[in-house]
Amino acid sequence: MYARRRRAYFLLMGGCLFLFVSAWSFVRLFSVEAAVALCVVAMVIPPVAAMIANRRGPDDRWWDDPSGDPKSDEWWDELDGKRRRPED
C-alpha cells in the first residue's frame, strides 16, 4: 500500500514540475495566458498529491485501532463512550 501511494505522489509531483517548467520554458513563447493556466493547474496538484499520499488504506493501522493492551483499550472505549462499564 505504501509503495503505491508513494509512487502516485511522485508521479503527481513530477507532473506538476513538468507543467511548471514547460510553461515557462517554451509555452510562454506561444501564449503567456496558456503558460499562466499551466501554472494554475500545477498549483493545484501538490495539495491533491499530499491527500493521496496520506490517504488511509484498508490495511493501514489508524489512530483509534485497538492497541493490543486490553486495559488501555477498555479505558479508551469507556472514554469515547463506545462501551459503557456496568454500574455497580
Side-chain angles (χ1 to χ4, degrees):
M1 286 301 233
Y2 178 70
R4 183 175 24 192
R5 288 190 321 226
R6 188 175 60 191
R7 190 176 314 119
Y9 174 79
F10 284 120
L11 282 173
L12 283 169
M13 292 305 288
C16 174
L17 189 61
F18 173 76
L19 285 174
F20 186 75
V21 170
S22 67
W24 296 112
S25 294
F26 58 88
V27 174
R28 70 175 171 88
L29 300 174
F30 303 108
S31 172
V32 173
E33 292 84 8
V36 170
L38 284 176
C39 284
V40 169
V41 171
M43 178 180 70
V44 173
I45 293 175
V48 172
M51 286 186 273
I52 288 173
N54 292 317
R55 181 178 56 198
R56 176 185 177 218
D59 297 334
D60 292 343
R61 194 167 153 76
W62 194 240
W63 65 274
D64 60 350
D65 281 346
S67 66
D69 179 19
K71 187 159 183 75
S72 175
D73 292 339
E74 179 184 341
W75 184 80
W76 280 107
D77 287 343
E78 180 183 343
L79 189 66
D80 291 337
K82 291 182 181 176
R83 211 177 314 148
R84 300 278 183 213
R85 292 182 71 170
E87 299 294 326
D88 293 319

